[in-house]
């Protein structure tokens, strides 16, 4: 969207048009040819799945409304008074001149510090401010903000998809993939029919760095750090495995009660503020329809259960969805993924996030384990970030489309 | 009991077979006569030599012994094709380079935090993979799945004979427990005679 229009007249309006057929698209394309109306198409008519946005000069409003009414073409007023918006924009641009707002300089193919990731999140929310906003859902143990990106085209209480990455600090390709994915979702809206139709009815929430304390520690002190950084009186060892801390078979097999263990489950379920913040957010939202969590490494796509080795009630559907997503992922670079329940694919593991989300009622609960299978493991070279993110995107999209098309 | 290939127990057994075959080739067939108390896995898989870019079809049987005293899993295998190779150009170049170093080689963190391996360290890394295969084979159980996560430290030990010797401290990642386990190993290598781990010990975290 081109925003530099300081010299146009007052009271231009931006109309959002929803064509319901190819025939209506033809009509809108005809409208484009009527130069005397001086229409400025922000989104051009191409196919009925995508909205058409037109900035209409004040003098042409009556004619355009008549045209749309005559052909029964639905529309709404997106911006009632363009000049007001322009004034606000100009203010913002002047006062933020030195601040880099565009994401086009950010290198998604590299590993970044937490500060750099948080800045990129801010820049993304600014660049796509009509679609993307940043929420804080809590604070980490060491008081770092937990930022979620919300992708929404409006409407209260829409059904939503939850995505998180970096619950385990050392899995660096996951935070990097999540950031790339955020940029991808934002840029695909209005361009990709599938994502556009998804965001027209659902919201997406994306937590890029679920465990910021651990992430910082893995940069500064110990690259192999996995857990949170919570401290307990009387213990030399720090941290809890946040993916053993959820209220699903908590404390059962596949988690450790030893504080120094890398799979220590913690003193009780939701003891870790990073976990509790997500649980509280999801409960409060009340309308989350999918819970997708991203880990590395191993190249797996898993669904519940981990805490018990029995199949979930929705086993057939989840397996079908998982296999379709894995096929979509593999189609890009040939990276093969195995699909199955956590218990049958890896091992029994209690207190995991997707077991909790599934038992809470979020049917579409999946966990990804990204590249590779052990050659580099956690130390995946940066030149694999973007290929990993690209292929993972196809898998995520496949699941999200199914969620969109199967409301419950 | 037939396991699907996606099942981790099968994966782990295959990892053990791979480790054993890669390290010892002929010697994996060394059998002790043990009454059948244990779990046996029959596997068919493909081994890929990532340096030579060649693949081999393999079948293997991996027997994990039960019992309080841990012993290395037994591996019996067959491979289609010739696994053994003569030392190649790269091996010889590496050998000459290290032999002619004035100061013993010392390095840390391979790969580094960002997955980078300096080209001259690649042979050091290949050597570590080979040596770790022995350690992985010897220490695997049905409930472990080890990978070499990183070389924490490597120091050359100068010798008077033809062998190169390196003292490694590596980090092994056990996927089942998710632990990172430091392990020290003393490694000998010669282009014609191959790899030998003369000493190794698990280190405290």
């Amino acid at each position: 969207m081109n925003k530099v229009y300081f010299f146009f007249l007052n009271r231009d309006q931006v109309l959002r048009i929803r064509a319901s057929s190819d025939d209506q698209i033809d009509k809108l394309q005809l409208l484009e040819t009527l130069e005397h109306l001086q229409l400025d198409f922000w989104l051009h008519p191409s196919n009925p799945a995508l909205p058409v946005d037109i900035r209409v000069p004040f003098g042409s409003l009556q004619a355009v409304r008549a045209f749309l009414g005559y052909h029964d073409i639905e529309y709404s007023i997106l911006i009632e008074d363009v000049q007001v918006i322009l004034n606000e924009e100009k203010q913002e641009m002047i006062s933020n001149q030195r601040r880099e707002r565009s994401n086009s300089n950010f290198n998604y193919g590299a590993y970044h510090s937490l500060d750099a990731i948080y800045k990129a999140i801010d820049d993304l929310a600014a660049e796509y401010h009509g679609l993307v906003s940043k929420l804080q859902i809590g604070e980490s143990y060491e008081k770092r903000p937990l930022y979620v990106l919300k992708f929404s085209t409006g409407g209260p209480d829409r059904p939503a998809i939850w995505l998180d990455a970096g619950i385990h600090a050392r899995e660096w390709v996951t935070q990097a993939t999540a950031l790339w994915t955020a940029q991808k979702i934002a840029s695909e809206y209005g361009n990709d029919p599938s994502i556009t139709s998804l965001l027209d009815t659902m919201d997406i929430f994306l937590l890029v760095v679920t465990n910021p304390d651990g992430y910082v520690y893995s940069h500064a002190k110990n690259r192999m750090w996995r857990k949170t950084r919570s401290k307990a009186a009387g213990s030399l060892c720090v941290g809890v495995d946040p993916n053993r801390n959820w209220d699903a078979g908590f404390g059962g097999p596949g988690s450790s009660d030893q504080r120094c263990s890398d799979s220590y489950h913690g003193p009780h379920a939701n003891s870790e503020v990073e976990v509790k913040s997500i649980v509280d957010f999801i409960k409060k939202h009340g309308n989350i329809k999918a819970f997708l969590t991203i880990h590395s490494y191993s190249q797996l796509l898993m669904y519940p259960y981990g805490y018990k080795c029995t199949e979930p009630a929705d086993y057939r559907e989840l397996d079908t969805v998982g296999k379709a997503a894995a096929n979509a992922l593999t189609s890009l670079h040939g990276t093969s993924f195995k699909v199955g329940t956590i218990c049958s694919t890896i091992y029994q593991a209690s207190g995991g996030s997707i077991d909790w989300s599934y038992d809470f009622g979020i049917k579409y609960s999946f966990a990804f384990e990204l590249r590779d299978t052990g050659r580099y493991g956690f130390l995946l070279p940066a030149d694999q970030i973007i290929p990993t993110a690209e292929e993972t995107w196809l898998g995520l999209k496949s699941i999200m489309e199914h969620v969109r098309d199967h409301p419950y | 009991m037939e396991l699907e290939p996606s099942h981790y127990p099968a994966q782990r057994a295959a990892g053990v077979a791979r480790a054993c075959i890669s390290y010892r080739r002929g010697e994996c067939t060394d059998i002790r006569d043990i009454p059948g108390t244990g779990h046996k896995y029959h596997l068919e898989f493909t081994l890929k030599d990532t340096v030579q870019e060649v693949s081999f079809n393999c079948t293997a049987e991996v027997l994990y012994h039960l019992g309080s005293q841990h012993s290395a899993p037994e591996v019996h295998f067959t491979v289609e094709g010739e696994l053994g190779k003569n030392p190649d150009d790269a091996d010889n170049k590496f050998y000459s380079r290290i032999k002619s170093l004035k100061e013993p080689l010392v390095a840390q963190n391979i790969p580094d935090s960002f997955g980078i391996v300096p080209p001259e360290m690649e042979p050091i890394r290949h050597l570590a993979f080979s040596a770790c295969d022995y350690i992985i084979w010897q220490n695997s159980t049905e409930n472990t799945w080890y990978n070499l996560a990183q070389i924490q430290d490597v120091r050359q030990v100068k010798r008077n004979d033809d062998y190169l010797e390196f003292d490694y401290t590596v980090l092994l990642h056990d996927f089942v427990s998710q632990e990172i386990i430091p392990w020290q190993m003393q490694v000998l290598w010669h282009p014609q005679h191959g790899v030998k781990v003369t000493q190794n010990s698990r280190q405290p975290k």
Side-chain angles (χ1 to χ4, degrees), chain A residues 151-393:
Chain A
F151 300 82
S152 179
T153 59
D157 295 326
R158 279 191 176 172
I161 294 169
W162 170 270
L163 268 159
D164 69 68
I167 193 169
H168 290 135
R170 60 194 180 200
E171 298 167 9
W172 285 13
V173 72
T174 71
Q175 298 93 336
T177 291
L179 201 52
W180 182 96
T181 304
Q183 210 281 334
K184 185 70 171 170
I185 296 171
S187 63
E188 287 285 76
Y189 181 75
N191 292 309
D192 175 79
S194 183
I195 292 302
T196 304
S197 73
L198 190 148
L199 284 169
D200 279 345
T201 54
M202 300 185 76
D203 293 343
I204 298 174
F205 293 98
L206 172 53
L207 178 53
V208 174
V209 187
T210 305
N211 178 6
D213 296 350
Y215 189 65
V216 169
Y217 194 76
S218 71
H219 276 260
K221 289 282 188 322
N222 180 352
R223 177 63 178 82
M224 296 294 172
W225 190 258
R226 167 181 167 89
K227 302 188 287 184
T228 62
R229 293 293 303 164
S230 59
K231 295 184 163 78
S235 179
L236 286 173
C237 288
V238 175
V240 166
D241 183 343
N243 207 31
R244 300 288 185 276
N245 191 244
W246 300 71
D247 192 6
F250 177 83
S255 64
S256 173
D257 60 1
Q258 300 297 304
R259 282 190 199 274
C260 299
S261 167
D262 255 337
S263 55
Y264 172 53
H265 49 57
H268 58 83
N270 300 321
S271 64
E272 302 312 283
V273 64
E274 294 82 357
V275 170
K276 184 158 197 318
S277 301
I278 299 173
V279 171
D280 288 347
F281 175 81
I282 291 190
K283 282 183 169 172
K284 187 167 171 215
H285 185 280
N287 207 14
I288 305 288
K289 296 302 180 189
F291 186 100
L292 310 176
T293 186
I294 304 178
H295 293 251
S296 77
Y297 60 93
S298 250
Q299 293 173 204
L300 307 170
L301 177 48
M302 298 175 290
Y303 47 87
Y305 287 107
Y307 73 85
K308 54 185 177 181
C309 294
T310 52
E311 287 168 2
D314 299 292
Y315 169 76
R316 288 213 182 283
E317 186 184 1
L318 293 178
D319 195 62
T320 304
V321 172
K323 290 203 160 95
N327 286 339
L329 187 155
T330 305
S331 71
L332 192 62
H333 298 301
T335 309
S336 62
F337 266 57
K338 296 192 166 57
V339 180
T341 68
I342 296 172
C343 187
S344 69
T345 309
I346 322 188
Y347 42 53
Q348 200 174 1
S350 311
S353 64
I354 66 169
D355 285 357
W356 171 80
S357 63
Y358 183 77
D359 280 349
F360 182 68
I362 301 172
K363 177 165 61 158
Y364 299 112
S365 292
F366 288 92
F368 284 76
E369 292 271 4
L370 304 185
R371 295 190 192 185
D372 59 12
T373 55
R375 183 165 175 74
Y376 285 95
F378 301 120
L379 308 180
L380 197 70
D383 63 5
Q384 290 198 46
I385 294 173
I386 291 181
T388 300
E390 288 174 336
E391 67 196 11
T392 305
W393 172 242

Side-chain angles (χ1 to χ4, degrees), chain A residues 111 170 172 223-224 226 260-263 297-298 300 338 344-347 374-376 378-382, chain B residues 5-8 11-12 50 111-115 125 129 147-150 173 175-180 205:
Chain A
Y111 294 113
R170 60 194 180 200
W172 285 13
R223 177 63 178 82
M224 296 294 172
R226 167 181 167 89
C260 299
S261 167
D262 255 337
S263 55
Y297 60 93
S298 250
L300 307 170
K338 296 192 166 57
S344 69
T345 309
I346 322 188
Y347 42 53
R375 183 165 175 74
Y376 285 95
F378 301 120
L379 308 180
L380 197 70
Chain B
S6 65
H7 288 206
Y8 255 36
Q11 290 260 14
R12 297 199 284 271
T50 51
D112 69 10
S113 288
F114 304 92
R125 188 163 176 246
F129 273 124
N147 278 314
L148 170 59
Q150 191 182 40
H173 172 230
F175 205 89
V176 176
S177 68
Q178 289 295 335
E179 297 295 337
I180 300 289
K205 221 161 108 168

Side-chain angles (χ1 to χ4, degrees), chain A residues 55-121:
Chain A
R55 184 185 61 81
V56 183
F58 180 68
S60 303
L61 271 171
Q62 204 174 28
V64 170
R65 289 217 203 101
F67 178 90
L68 295 173
Y70 181 72
H71 293 292
D72 272 334
I73 300 175
E74 266 187 41
Y75 72 93
S76 58
I77 300 172
L78 197 63
I79 299 175
E80 230 170 351
D81 189 338
V82 176
Q83 191 58 50
V84 170
I85 306 288
L86 293 176
N87 292 342
E88 286 166 10
E89 286 271 78
K90 195 173 169 188
Q91 290 280 74
E92 202 187 350
M93 275 170 76
I94 289 166
S95 67
N96 287 312
Q97 234 156 38
R98 277 191 224 107
R99 208 183 95 196
E100 217 227 305
R101 293 171 70 226
S102 167
N103 258 10
S104 55
N105 296 334
F106 185 81
N107 182 3
Y108 288 95
Y111 294 113
H112 294 282
S113 68
L114 184 72
D115 287 344
I117 292 176
Y118 276 12
K119 181 175 188 301
I121 284 172

